[in-house]
Amino acid sequence: MKIRLPYGKESIDVDLPESGIEAFIEPNEVSGHIDAVQAVLEALENPSGSGSFQNFLSAEGRLIVIVNDATRPTPTALILETVSDLLQASAAEFIIATGAHRAPAEEELGFIFGSTLERFRGRISVHDARTDEMFMLGTTALGTEVLLNAKIKQADRILIIGSVEPHYFAGFTGGRKGLLPGVAAFSTIEQNHRLALLPGARTLALSGNPVHEDMLEACRMVGKNIFSIMTVLDRRQQIYSVAAGGLNEAFSSAVEKASEVFAVPIERKADVVIACAKYPMDIDLYQSQKAIENAGLALKPGGTLVLVSACRDGVGDDTFSRLLSSCDKPEAVFSKINKGYRLGYHKAARLAELSAQIRLMAYTGLEPEVLESIFIEPVADLQKLLDELIEAGNRIVIMPDASVTVPGI
């Protein structure tokens, strides 16, 4: 049978016999098509944990709107288009929460802001974790020195727009991530992300998750009037649910809905898993690693995992790849991490751990030698590889949206 796999903004086709397919694991089908604009408006009319959206917008002082960058499928444009007149009247300013990512390109600005781009262009700034002016709020119980973009200090009110999906060490994206890592200093992001090496930092987990709890504490330090709009998308990247109101309340509501979509039960683990990093989460290998992490949950020990990702921007932040390529075997990675953590080393640790246990392969736009240097076998001909795996008696699981699909028995 012909199977279409997402790859960049397009797709690639492979042929597999039905007998060789174990299962398709993708986000759950959830009931009902909703009117996306109406869902946003209804959420704004019924906020939880806060006053009304109208009162928030009409309050005195400077309004800063925090929006995600283009590495998330957040329907920011639809939300902004829905409330653009209200934001215009409130003289809203915007900051793109890049965290430690690069600034968005012009095309990506269009993806984020949609038809409101020209209306708001002169009010948009892009967070730069390395060079922007920061201010210090304090130190968390877990030792993270919280420095945020100075624009947050200057704001009287903050509107955070985000989306909630599973995240392999923060539990879920969204909510508190708009502030940390979204508009935090590089050193703050690095200190927070080092907690990903601790037990409890895993997908779908919030209680006892040190990364999540550290982020929450940092957000409590902000002490501003914050209103949030959190979306959850379905398997087709259409809006399934919208929650609005207080940062924690809207996030908690969205987490429940996100679990309905993205936590997928499976009967057994597979010999081979094809893990697709779907656009826009295929931007680079750094982001595509999330697909590898989730797919590993569906794989038997010693099995084969094949990442399918365009990696449009190459490796991305190359700290993790430089660490991996400096080691002659995966086990050596951990001794180097123990000598001192740098941002990205948590990804190196996860890849090293997986590559020591499974056969890790990738069909990407990256040069073969780049993949080989970090313990990943490059795949030049995906169809040929799949034919060989099936001829060897393997049954294959396909994950068309592995970056956000969390399989579990």
Side-chain angles (χ1 to χ4, degrees), residues 99-121:
H101 303 161
R102 63 159 175 79
E106 180 66 21
E107 178 186 3
E108 293 167 329
L109 286 174
F111 170 77
I112 297 167
F113 286 90
S115 65
T116 71
L117 178 58
E118 294 309 320
R119 187 176 196 181
F120 295 135
R121 186 185 288 274

Side-chain angles (χ1 to χ4, degrees), residues 1-3 14-19 21 24 383:
M1 63 183 293
K2 181 174 287 188
I3 298 168
V14 294
D15 283 306
L16 293 175
E18 289 190 33
S19 60
I21 300 174
F24 286 86
Q383 182 65 62

Side-chain angles (χ1 to χ4, degrees), residues 9-316:
K9 290 186 177 181
E10 299 178 355
S11 61
I12 53 175
D13 292 334
V14 294
D15 283 306
L16 293 175
E18 289 190 33
S19 60
I21 300 174
E22 177 74 26
F24 286 86
I25 303 176
E26 53 190 327
N28 295 310
E29 186 70 75
V30 286
S31 60
H33 171 73
I34 66 172
D35 182 306
V37 172
Q38 189 61 33
V40 172
L41 293 173
E42 288 179 1
L44 293 175
E45 290 171 2
N46 299 280
S48 59
S50 74
S52 73
F53 187 53
Q54 288 284 357
N55 287 345
F56 171 79
L57 290 179
S58 62
E60 294 289 331
R62 188 174 181 180
L63 171 61
I64 294 287
V65 182
I66 298 176
V67 298
N68 281 348
D69 65 11
T71 64
R72 297 280 182 271
T74 311
T76 308
L78 182 143
I79 294 169
L80 293 179
E81 289 161 0
T82 302
V83 298
S84 62
D85 288 344
L86 295 173
L87 295 177
Q88 177 80 9
S90 300
E93 300 171 50
F94 301 83
I95 184 167
I96 300 175
T98 57
H101 303 161
R102 63 159 175 79
E106 180 66 21
E107 178 186 3
E108 293 167 329
L109 286 174
F111 170 77
I112 297 167
F113 286 90
S115 65
T116 71
L117 178 58
E118 294 309 320
R119 187 176 196 181
F120 295 135
R121 186 185 288 274
R123 307 181 192 177
I124 299 168
S125 62
V126 179
H127 174 69
D128 189 318
R130 295 168 177 82
T131 63
D132 279 354
E133 180 185 352
M134 304 289 169
F135 75 107
M136 178 74 168
L137 287 86
T139 303
T140 68
L142 290 171
T144 298
E145 297 174 337
V146 181
L147 291 99
L148 299 184
N149 194 293
K151 290 184 181 296
I152 302 304
K153 184 178 182 179
Q154 297 159 6
D156 298 287
R157 297 165 292 153
I158 302 171
L159 172 61
I160 300 178
I161 299 173
S163 57
V164 177
E165 309 100 24
H167 187 279
Y168 73 103
F169 67 78
F172 289 87
T173 63
R176 69 280 188 251
K177 288 196 75 182
L179 291 163
L180 173 58
V183 293
F186 185 87
S187 61
T188 299
I189 300 169
E190 189 169 62
Q191 290 169 40
N192 172 261
H193 282 30
R194 82 193 191 286
L195 302 174
L197 298 170
L198 299 178
R202 54 190 175 82
T203 188
L204 304 184
L206 295 176
S207 178
N209 185 323
V211 177
H212 165 69
E213 292 174 351
D214 196 57
M215 289 176 180
L216 285 182
E217 186 177 355
C219 290
R220 289 194 293 268
M221 295 178 181
V222 175
K224 302 282 185 177
N225 183 8
I226 299 177
F227 193 97
S228 67
I229 304 172
M230 293 292 124
T231 60
V232 177
L233 303 184
D234 63 17
R235 66 197 289 175
R236 297 173 184 84
Q237 294 190 341
Q238 301 298 310
I239 287 182
Y240 169 55
S241 176
V242 185
L247 185 60
N248 293 336
E249 290 83 359
F251 173 68
S252 296
S253 177
V255 162
E256 292 184 16
K257 292 295 185 179
S259 296
E260 293 176 10
V261 178
F262 301 113
V264 181
I266 59 174
E267 294 183 2
R268 55 186 173 271
K269 297 193 175 187
D271 303 314
V272 177
V273 177
I274 308 301
C276 301
K278 193 174 184 178
Y279 181 90
M281 302 181 83
D282 64 339
I283 189 167
D284 52 38
L285 185 61
Y286 191 88
Q287 292 298 321
S288 298
Q289 191 263 351
K290 295 168 184 172
I292 295 174
E293 190 76 20
N294 287 336
L297 299 174
L299 189 67
K300 292 178 181 177
T304 299
L305 193 160
V306 184
L307 171 69
V308 176
S309 173
C311 294
R312 294 169 284 119
D313 276 9
V315 170

